Amino acid sequence: MTAEVAVLGAGMHPWGKWGRGFVEYGVAAARAALADAGVDWRDVGSIVGADTVRGGYPGYVAGATFAKALGWQGAHVASVYAACASGAQAINTARTQILAGMADVVLVVGADAAPKGFFRPAGGDRPDDPDWLRFRVLGATNPAYFGLYARRRMAVHGDTLEDFARVKVKNAAAGALNQNARYRKTVTAEEVAASAVVADPLRLLDICATSDGAAALVFSSMEFARRHGAADPVRIRAVSTVTPTYPTTVLDLPDIATDSAAVVAPADGTFRASIARAAYEEAGIGPEDISLAEVYDLSTALELQWYEDLGLCGEGEGAKLLRDGVTAPGGRVPVNTSGGLASFGEAVPAQAIAQVCEVTWQLRGTAGARQIEGARVGVTANQGLFGHGSSVVAVR
């Protein structure tokens, strides 16, 4: 087990399509997190920004950008890019700095002003970029991949369109209670079924949107937290940033082929399963200890897959877990109490940070109408393109 760091503050800018710059969103989230922590910006020793990079081209050097916007005060700075796992890598960078004694207080910020519609690659020819290749060679947009994965679950595990719709209904009900969510409206299974087909078998309401938004966290050493008057703060116990193990036998976006398994035996489990397993091992816990989970529901079918990858059930049992109400509020392990990406949409650098914000509020007991009674251990899970793992375990 790794030494713990304290989560002193959490803040967000509401997600939607606001038509303004990412800096404004990030600064709002950062100030909210600092206010929540009761920490002055001038007392922050380091700031870590989660970057946005589109189609292989660097976008925002977020750490310095947010430091400047908040007011230069000499803090150390780092900027991190790991696609959708950028937020988790930023959290891990902050944790490392604190545990190494480089800073007592670190601010982590992720923000995005996403393009309208589904993500697409930037212009230009980049044949060494797998993300560019899967768009240009296969025409495999994100929804196309989600649809293929959903079809695989239907063929292999017997999942149904009704199962996928249940995920959306559950998450929309949670999102309706979240003031930071973009979509705050409950939906019915019939409305999911009536929405337009985007990538068969998935409908529009099965797939998350792209959004503007931001999230921020203030971390500190346990010693600083005690001096600051936080006797029992939420604590980060583990962060998993693992990569896949050769050979891989299940396609993960943006790859368009698997490694050969003709000579080397397949790994013990998939890449996604290894992400959570590494977090559990570092934290010294197991899936049976989890009170709630925030997972990366790019599509309704992918949420079901995460149930299995987190070890909440056996392979192929995700849909049954949902049907039995285990992952709903009041169930044994509520999943996506925030409303998930179904209710927020993607603001790439902020996503993994936002997950930890929700877990923090739940473990504090301050999640309002979304509150899960007795929550003590929360886990987050997502993954970034190009083999970036992302899972955080928080406890109280």
Side-chain angles (χ1 to χ4, degrees):
M1 290 175 59
T2 304
E4 297 173 338
V5 299
V7 185
L8 290 187
M12 295 182 69
H13 182 288
W15 292 26
K17 284 290 187 182
W18 306 111
R20 299 191 293 276
F22 80 102
V23 181
E24 181 178 336
Y25 309 143
V27 168
R31 287 176 175 159
L34 289 167
D36 185 46
V39 170
D40 189 275
W41 161 236
R42 289 167 293 188
D43 295 325
V44 173
S46 179
I47 180 169
V48 184
D51 286 353
T52 288
V53 177
R54 302 208 192 286
Y57 291 120
Y60 314 131
V61 185
T65 298
F66 293 131
K68 178 181 179 182
L70 289 165
W72 294 126
Q73 46 88 313
H76 293 278
V77 68
S79 294
V80 176
Y81 175 68
C84 293
S86 296
Q89 296 247 356
I91 290 169
N92 199 42
T93 299
R95 180 180 70 146
T96 300
Q97 291 178 347
I98 292 169
L99 295 180
M102 297 171 63
D104 271 340
V105 181
V106 182
L107 171 66
V108 171
V109 188
D112 201 3
K116 186 177 180 179
F118 299 121
F119 291 121
R120 58 189 183 277
D125 292 341
R126 297 185 309 284
D128 57 349
D129 177 355
D131 200 28
W132 180 88
L133 284 172
R134 56 105 175 186
F135 277 105
R136 303 292 177 166
V137 177
L138 296 183
T141 62
N142 288 11
Y145 171 80
F146 305 152
L148 290 169
Y149 214 98
R151 185 61 69 185
R152 180 182 186 276
R153 286 199 60 86
M154 295 174 77
V156 175
H157 302 310
D159 292 3
T160 67
L161 297 179
E162 290 73 24
D163 292 325
F164 301 153
R166 288 187 182 97
V167 175
K168 175 65 177 183
V169 170
K170 172 183 72 69
N171 290 349
L177 302 175
N178 193 331
Q179 70 274 16
N180 290 311
R182 176 179 178 181
Y183 301 105
R184 300 188 60 190
K185 180 177 181 292
T186 60
V187 301
T188 65
E190 292 73 22
E191 287 172 320
V192 177
S195 63
V197 175
V198 175
D200 188 67
L202 298 179
R203 273 64 178 166
L204 183 63
L205 294 183
D206 284 304
I207 298 172
C208 76
T210 60
S211 290
D212 298 354
L217 293 160
V218 176
F219 298 101
S220 79
S221 64
M222 295 304 298
E223 292 76 14
F224 180 93
R226 284 189 284 270
R227 294 197 307 269
H228 193 62
D232 183 28
V234 173
R235 307 180 305 280
I236 300 299
R237 182 167 286 178
V239 184
S240 169
T241 59
V242 297
T243 55
T245 300
Y246 174 83
T248 55
T249 57
V250 177
L251 285 173
D252 275 318
L253 191 156
D255 297 322
I256 56 177
T258 61
D259 297 326
S260 173
V263 177
V264 181
D268 181 20
T270 64
F271 170 45
R272 284 198 190 96
S274 75
I275 297 171
R277 185 167 61 246
Y280 292 152
E281 289 173 356
E282 183 182 341
I285 63 169
E288 67 279 0
D289 299 310
I290 298 301
S291 304
L292 73 150
E294 285 288 306
V295 306
Y296 193 39
D297 59 319
L298 291 166
S299 78
T300 51
L302 286 176
E303 175 166 324
L304 297 179
Q305 185 64 45
W306 279 114
Y307 297 172
E308 299 163 25
D309 295 334
L310 285 173
L312 304 181
C313 61
E315 183 178 356
E317 297 176 354
K320 183 178 186 302
L321 206 69
L322 176 71
R323 294 178 207 136
D324 291 345
V326 175
T327 60
R332 178 172 57 84
V333 189
V335 175
N336 283 341
T337 58
S338 67
L341 294 181
S343 300
F344 277 77
E346 284 197 89
V348 172
Q351 289 161 194
I353 301 171
Q355 288 181 323
V356 177
C357 287
E358 175 67 15
V359 169
T360 296
W361 292 323
Q362 288 286 350
L363 297 184
R364 285 180 179 173
T366 58
R370 306 188 313 280
Q371 184 61 50
I372 302 304
E373 185 177 354
R376 304 295 296 177
V377 181
V379 65
T380 71
N382 68 41
Q383 69 177 110
L385 291 182
F386 318 113
H388 291 112
S390 167
S391 181
V392 178
V393 174
V395 300
R396 189 169 191 189

